[in-house]
Amino acid sequence: MLKQPLRLAIATGLYAPFLTGVSVAVHQRVRWFLQQGHQVFLIHPQINNQYPSSVGKRPMAGLDELHQYPNFTSYAFPTQPLIFYKSLPQPLSYRHWSDTKLLADFNPDIVLVEEAAQMRGLYSLFLQGYGRPVAVEYAKKKGTPVISLFHTDIVAYIQYYLGNQLFSLIRPFLPKLIKQFSESYDLSLFSSKEQLAKYQAMKCQRSEYFPYQGVDCKKFNPENTIFNPIPNDNRPTLLFVGRITAEKNVNQLLDIYPIVADKIKDVHLVIVGSGPIEAEIKQRAQQFGSGVTVWGESHGEELLGWFARADLFVNPSITENFCTTNNEALASGTPVVAAIAPSTAEQVTPGSNGFLAEPNNPADFAEKIIQILGNPQLKEQMTANARPSILEFDWSACMEKFETKLYQVVGESQKKLTGVGL
């Protein structure tokens, strides 16, 4: 007998047209649930005229695609720009809108909160945000299970922006804060074992590893070279795709490039994305002439072409959590050179599908890149190994396991309430 479809409420602090890996993942997750016949109520950030006009014009998959499903409903909660990053949203506080009323009207079997810490206000050090844990008041009233899906290493972000000296002052308070916050939810799921260990050491409660974060291996594949954005350019190409922000260490790409260019003839660095330091990166890149291209944002087939066209994907960020773009590069058959950081060792096997480099060490990054590009046999082998290395995290396989997990959690919750499971 087939299980009854679930009534899923999904609250997210990030969604199209706000461009982040979380936004893309949430959309894929919602679409998959709808395709399986589940009822989905998406609570997502509102786009308004406070944001740069370019944000609302992005050609991202979003609500228009989901509204074709009769089992889909949504609510856009009021937002304002994040004080530190004007292109990303923060919810207005619970005094302006009620998650409890929304959930009561939908009556879900289970609630998923994506980026719960961001919605609560941790990104802005509680200067903005909802002001209380999302969905918890409703859950306490109804006994409905609520799962927090952990995406961003927020502690690493705070440390990066505060600096080590200021961070050392607040570090003693983090375990108490993380414990209190995580106790609000029935379960917190981490897609990285290393990140889980890091946060459990800081007293994160009721938390476990679960591979809910996958990559669409059908969409991202080596055959996408047919969409090569630069078909007449045969230079060896280093690719970065992501938000052009300080915490992504994008500036370090321009420190790495000249060291590589000194050894690898005609090497070409392509930086795809947008963000607060984009103008600074473009200005610095001018010294390298045609050797560095700051492309801007890329979407659709063009983006697929970049991932498949590149010779290497280079990611110097140390704030990632099972990084989406690393996965997309590997699925496209492109080896990855990434910084040693929590979760990257779960994606990159040194010497097999790429290399891990010392964080904040451009010379070590360059040495790893030169080692691959200067050895055609090694590069060929890594390219062959890249896609098979990530297939276990194919989106459909991950979502089927996740769906089973949700049925398990709902069943256990209903058994506690009524004595009868699903």
Side-chain angles (χ1 to χ4, degrees), residues 194 315 317 326 336-341 343-359 364-365 367-369 371-372 382:
E194 291 188 51
N315 190 351
S317 173
N326 287 350
V336 173
V337 177
I340 298 171
S343 81
T344 53
E346 297 167 57
Q347 299 171 298
V348 179
T349 302
S352 178
N353 62 353
F355 281 123
L356 295 175
E358 287 294 326
D364 192 48
F365 262 92
E367 189 275 327
K368 299 294 194 302
I369 293 167
Q371 189 176 342
I372 298 171
M382 285 186 170

Side-chain angles (χ1 to χ4, degrees), residues 102-114:
L102 292 170
L103 294 171
D105 290 343
F106 180 66
N107 190 29
D109 295 313
I110 190 168
V111 182
L112 306 179
V113 184
E114 312 242 12

